[in-house]
Amino acid sequence: MEKSNNKRTVLITGATGGLGTAMCKELHKDGYRVVGNYHTKEKADKWMEMMKGEGFDIKLFYGDVSDFESAGEMIKNIEQEVGTIDTLVNNAGITRDGRLAKMKKEDWYDVVNTNLNSVFNCTRQVVDGMIERNFGRIINISSVNGQRGQFGQTNYSAAKAGMHGFTKSLAMEVAKYGITVNTISPGYIATDMVMAVPEKVLTQIIAQVPMGRLGGTHEVAHLVSFLASEETSFITGANYSINGGQHVY
Ligand code: CAA
């Protein structure tokens, strides 16, 4: 049953991934007008079909968020076809795990471009409109591994830690325009990305989680919906941990 508390438009990047899909469903149920971003056409077609089958009518727009021009083109298309963007969820992300001593140059640049430079590419091109309209919500999906580091993830941890630096600085710059900027740092959530971690390693990681399990995508999606709401207008520059107690500080 769709709630009708809000008809603001939310753009979720990386919408076809595990977390992105859950966010699309949750925010749609909570009454937001949701649009998603995709990168791979084949995956997007299957996703649309699956979502329609479950009763979710959510438009997807192509954009390579690691590229400034491509992100700008996507945002222009969304504004023309759907309307202005009130909430941006910077969720697109990839992993290229490996020890630094073995890491290829591309593994560094691909991760930093997709996970961190994308945040600049998208936010820079929606923030002027948010300032004009005196309302905005920017939600950056970081990671516990940006907070604490992870063996085999120098690239990913650097990018994810960088996201929160961006959050804190932008939060100060745009607070006076009614725009909030926050980070969410999920721990190990049951997505394809996490399931790609070698089983033995994943078992060791879960053993470090006091809750003794992986997180559910809906648990993160619920937090995104909360931060997108009108009522969170005094929360900004914050970093929300959602990791089952794996990293407390
Ligand atoms: N601490 C200390 N040593 C470790 C280690 C750890 N956590 N993990 C591996 N090592 C050691 C091994 O014991 C081994 O040492 P010896 O050679 O002395 O025996 C050495 O590192 C093996 O390293 P290799 O370079 O040969 O690499 P590998 O093929 O074994 O793989 C790895 C290493 C890629 C880091 C692999 O262990 C791995 O995938 N780890 C998981 C990384 C991870 O958690 N990624 C998260 C992905 S999901 C995500 O990112 C979402 C999110 O936000 C949470």
Side-chain angles (χ1 to χ4, degrees):
M1 180 70 175
E2 185 180 305
K3 292 182 202 160
S4 59
N5 63 342
N6 200 316
K7 267 297 168 199
R8 292 197 180 271
T9 300
V10 181
L11 166 61
I12 297 167
T13 68
T16 59
L19 280 178
T21 303
M23 289 172 196
C24 286
K25 290 181 181 177
E26 183 85 8
L27 274 83
H28 186 275
K29 280 188 205 151
D30 286 348
Y32 294 93
R33 188 181 296 114
V34 180
V35 294
N37 145 257
Y38 76 92
H39 188 229
T40 314
K41 172 100 175 67
E42 207 191 1
K43 202 172 169 191
D45 290 343
K46 280 193 193 139
W47 188 89
M48 289 287 285
E49 208 176 302
M50 185 266 294
M51 293 294 267
K52 277 206 180 117
E54 292 185 32
F56 295 97
D57 188 14
I58 294 169
K59 275 194 180 170
L60 285 183
F61 288 80
Y62 171 76
D64 175 356
V65 292
S66 70
D67 178 82
F68 188 80
E69 276 69 38
S70 180
E73 194 64 27
M74 169 188 72
I75 288 161
K76 205 173 77 193
N77 291 337
I78 294 170
E79 288 178 343
Q80 275 169 6
E81 281 187 45
V82 181
T84 52
I85 296 162
D86 302 300
T87 297
L88 168 66
V89 185
N90 286 307
N91 168 64
I94 58 168
T95 51
R96 297 280 185 272
D97 293 353
R99 287 188 292 121
L100 186 76
K102 282 184 169 178
M103 191 174 286
K104 292 198 225 72
K105 188 177 147 197
E106 297 74 47
D107 295 337
W108 175 269
Y109 282 97
D110 287 353
V111 168
V112 173
N113 284 334
T114 304
N115 298 13
L116 179 61
N117 290 335
S118 61
V119 176
F120 170 77
N121 295 338
C122 294
T123 311
R124 177 67 190 88
Q125 301 187 78
V126 299
V127 78
D128 290 346
M130 290 179 176
I131 290 172
E132 269 167 36
R133 295 186 299 279
N134 266 293
F135 181 87
R137 298 277 180 270
I138 295 162
I139 303 167
N140 295 323
I141 308 301
S142 179
S143 165
V144 64
N145 294 343
Q147 295 173 299
R148 59 158 209 165
Q150 169 62 38
F151 190 103
Q153 285 201 309
T154 49
N155 49 3
Y156 187 86
S157 300
K160 292 296 187 182
M163 287 175 97
H164 189 53
F166 177 97
T167 291
K168 291 188 282 187
S169 299
L170 185 63
M172 290 175 185
E173 293 179 17
V174 297
K176 65 180 174 191
Y177 305 110
I179 303 169
T180 67
V181 191
N182 290 292
T183 299
I184 294 178
S185 292
Y188 283 72
I189 310 296
T191 59
D192 289 348
M193 183 189 269
V194 166
M195 295 331 256
V197 171
E199 201 183 332
K200 201 174 135 221
V201 179
L202 193 55
T203 306
Q204 285 164 3
I205 289 170
I206 295 170
Q208 299 160 9
V209 181
M211 291 280 179
R213 64 170 175 90
L214 297 175
T217 53
H218 63 286
E219 292 173 306
V220 178
H222 184 66
L223 181 53
V224 173
S225 188
F226 167 73
L227 286 175
S229 69
E230 310 269 337
E231 291 77 12
T232 57
S233 41
F234 205 54
I235 301 176
T236 198
N239 190 354
Y240 281 76
S241 295
I242 176 161
N243 61 37
Q246 186 186 2
H247 178 63
V248 289
Y249 60 100

